[in-house]
Amino acid sequence: TLGPEAAILLSSMSRDSTEASAFEALISRTEDVESLVRLEACDRETLVSNPYLHRVDRWILGGLVADVAAGMDRSAEIADIEARRGSMHWFGEAKVTYDALLAASLVTAGCKEREAETGVCEDAVAALKAYSERWCQTDAAYRRYHEALRDPGLMADVDLSEVRRLVEPRYGSFLRGLAIEWQDLACKAGTWPPTGIASWQRDFYASQVASRRDERVAVVVSDAFRYECAVELADGLRCGSPRYQASLEPAMSMLPSYTQLGMAALLPNECISIDPATQLVSVDGRPTVGL
């Protein structure tokens, strides 16, 4: 417990970047005393509000790791902790690890929600809507989880092995279940694309390019560009400002769903053909390889 004057002084120093080295030097002189503090006896709220002790984030993370590894959804709590500790001096060392745990918690929670919804979609149209509005967020969380694991800022002394052992099979089960259900609904539809789905990859040029001849249009062609990445791109383009607008609409791919055919389908086309020997694609009798 700090006296009022000490609390004001340390609070000011911990938030002033020009005083960073002085603050760290001062705190380092308390390491012997800090080692006597029984952080395990403190509740999480006390730890979250403490901006001074260097070990606090490790203790907070240790408790959160145990909860997430047990399958508990701690995503809201982790996001709140990050928001509250974001301006504190030592948070920078722990941010990536918090991010990894937040993403892991979102993955497991998303997988659980998806399992509860298995079989609720009556047709392929409903499944596409559910994926584009909700289920794709689990894919996004899994990507952010692995981005954090590869970040050199990840704390080496926070053991995430139990979290890893939970996330991977859960996400694998999520993908398998989604694929099996989609396959069943797509086959029941009887046509491709399924009736009721408005956008198809082959219609892209006519609907998105030719119809905008008076506008400047840029087309990005990327192999296996995941839908959840496009959601994030659209959010980034909006920049949180009403000055910018971005909309997103899912479209069914061509079948068979391989790169050569998918890229060719984006071109203006009346007739698309595949050479069975080479799998190369021609559009209106012209090859589509290269420029």
Side-chain angles (χ1 to χ4, degrees), residues 64-125:
L64 291 172
V65 165
D67 290 349
V68 173
M72 301 179 190
D73 181 6
R74 288 289 184 260
S75 55
E77 183 178 2
I78 297 170
D80 178 67
I81 290 172
E82 288 203 80
R84 292 171 60 188
R85 293 192 62 79
S87 61
M88 296 182 185
H89 183 83
W90 304 111
F91 177 76
E93 298 179 4
K95 182 183 186 309
V96 174
T97 310
Y98 279 116
D99 289 345
L101 270 185
L102 174 59
S105 188
L106 288 170
V107 169
T108 56
C111 291
K112 186 175 181 180
E113 290 173 7
R114 158 73 191 131
E115 288 169 3
E117 293 185 273
T118 299
V120 300
C121 293
E122 58 186 22
D123 54 29
V125 177

Side-chain angles (χ1 to χ4, degrees), residues 177-240:
L178 194 60
I180 291 170
E181 185 168 356
W182 172 253
Q183 176 78 22
D184 182 50
L185 293 172
C187 288
K188 286 179 179 177
T191 61
W192 192 264
T195 302
I197 292 179
S199 296
W200 189 29
Q201 195 173 30
R202 185 172 179 175
D203 295 334
F204 171 80
Y205 187 87
S207 64
Q208 301 298 328
V209 182
S211 61
R212 301 180 181 182
R213 291 194 178 276
D214 296 332
E215 305 174 37
R216 181 176 295 178
V217 178
V219 178
V220 179
V221 180
S222 176
D223 184 28
F225 186 56
R226 282 161 51 131
Y227 186 82
E228 51 89 3
C229 293
V231 172
E232 191 167 307
L233 175 60
D235 289 341
L237 290 171
R238 295 186 191 101
C239 302

Side-chain angles (χ1 to χ4, degrees), residues 154-172:
L154 190 72
M155 283 181 161
D157 54 352
V158 176
D159 186 3
L160 296 177
S161 58
E162 291 301 318
V163 173
R164 293 172 189 252
R165 277 192 281 270
L166 174 73
V167 169
E168 297 304 333
R170 285 279 179 91
Y171 183 68

